[in-house]
Amino acid sequence: MKDLIVGTAGHIDHGKTALVQALTGIDTDRLIEEKRRGITIDIGFAHMELGDYRIGFIDVPGHEKFVKNMLAGIGGIHLLLFVVAADESVMPQTVEHLQICKLLHIPQGIIVLTKSGLVDEELIAVVRQEVTELVRGSFLEGAPLVAVDSLSGDGIDELRQTMLREIQALPRGDLDRRIEDRVFRLPVDRVFTIRGFGTVVTGTAISGSLRRDEPVQILPGNFQSKVRSIEIFGEAAERADAGQRTALNLPNVARSDLRRGMTVCAENSLRSGMTANVQLELLADSPSRLRHRMPIRFHHGSAEMIAHTYLFDRTELKPGETAIVQLRLEEPAVLLPGDPFIVRRYSPLITIGGGVILDNDPPRLRRRQVAPLLEEYRELLPRLIQGGRGAQRLLLAQRIRRQGVRSVALGDLVAATGLKQSVILELLGEMEGIGVIAQEPTLIIDLSVVDGLAEQLRLALDSYHARHPLAAGMPREELRERFLTGAPAQVVQFVLDELQQRGIIDVRAGNVALAGSTVRLSEEQERLRERLLGSLRKNPFQSPGPTLLAKQIGEPVEPVRNLFYYLIESGEILKVSEELVVLPEQLDDLVTRLRNEFPEGRTITVPEFKDVLGLSRKYAIPVLEYLDRIRVTRRRGDGRTLVENKS
């Protein structure tokens, strides 16, 4: 059986609650105050089966003072019953509710003329005409119109059949993708306790699926719990899916910690934030303009909070205009690209506009960066509204490209899009120019970043080789600081590996060189090399360092120093310590003498080693420590033993 949500909208006392009761047999007015006053104050819920479908009803209040409660319930519906009383026709909340439903991108609806038993056919025809005029240009233009009397039951069967036809015509693919592709998300609209069970939250699951005993987090506040039990439309279930009215028993969270407006989501998936870039449409009949930093009431999911509007490319937004703006919230909220929202005037409380979330983690911008980002959002907006894989790929591509060499973690992409990790990896596999660094955490990088670095590094390394002809290449850390600032270590390695595979660079130990570059000594440098090595041969294990070495052989310090360190990098000189170097043949000779004089297992003391080396403790200790490092000897207490020679 397939599940979906049907919602009601319309002016106060136009018979929405009576209509739902006539369809389902359930009275959705549960509060004592609702019974006493005869009006719906808070959202109510009912359910029924219709053909192969299980339908959850969300009955919303119509009075202007209760619009915020209406907004808490209407965001997750698939089919709207737009209610107009035949004896009163179009009223103020009729218009406001229609505007809200349009701004929330509700896909489909049926116009229901209630209280038809109170008027004659001629008046019904007049009301029909007035409603038709009202909905022209909206998603309800051309929608079926059914006249009913909820008390007598006239028209109720016709309405049921009309609902079934409209439900069957709904595009099921989007709802299925919301279940399969996205992490679980449920905006909380009620919180209460049941004795012996603990805290229960209810809401309409708007994405993903959740099984009993799965861990969840509740945001904001980051409360953790495990789902003890699930009810779907009042019946126990093992699993909750998007499109279902859901109750979750969360035993580890106190009732006082939770409230309407919070979000239950899959563990370690989403995050709450206080800033979002959005497309905002100001209604044509808005009584006021929207000014920079102006406070508004922001409605999203089941949450309501104060926000301030920051305009990018203008000082005010006039009625009927649309712009990309930034909303800075006074409380954190769980927002995702593609989510609809409503804004109401701070005071008096009237709906003035709404729009779509574009970015739940916008970057801080310099002035010159604003225009390119706005173009990026304008490209994204129609795809987001349309939905589907194309929108998901574009959203991922923009987020990855924005991060540059810093890359983006797979978990951050989940929080930015609401897509499951497996789905993101599948989408990335369909996209060109994306690099996936499969380590922990998995990082994603735009390969155009590598393309841009390729030419920069060619020029930089060519210049470096010209300035440092004896260097094996630019030190890796210098390259990272200059060209990969902020990049994680695994991204640095990925970029270097990628450029080496392309034949652009060679990575040599701790240095990076142009591919194929070699060090060729000039005749003068070859002459200096022989003199330098000759001096080291005369005084084994007593290196004076490049400055004294230059003085000994009567040469300028700078060329001697450059050649000295080149010979260390090339392996012609071995660096024992900061003050001591030896030639490879000198070290080999020392190891041979040690193996001849000290049988395997025999302890070598420092005085004995000094005698073999023929030098003071000042030189003997660094050499011993070097032999420990290269595993010729192994220290045991104050002595050493030779490591077994496996050659």
Side-chain angles (χ1 to χ4, degrees), residues 298-310:
F298 173 74
H299 295 265
H300 169 269
S302 59
E304 179 206 10
M305 63 197 67
I306 304 302
H308 296 264
T309 55
Y310 285 71

Side-chain angles (χ1 to χ4, degrees), residues 487-513:
Q490 55 265 53
V491 171
V492 175
Q493 188 62 51
F494 175 85
V495 170
L496 295 180
D497 289 345
E498 180 74 18
L499 293 177
Q500 184 157 309
Q501 288 175 10
R502 296 184 189 184
I504 296 170
I505 63 171
D506 283 335
V507 181
R508 303 164 182 169
N511 300 296
V512 181

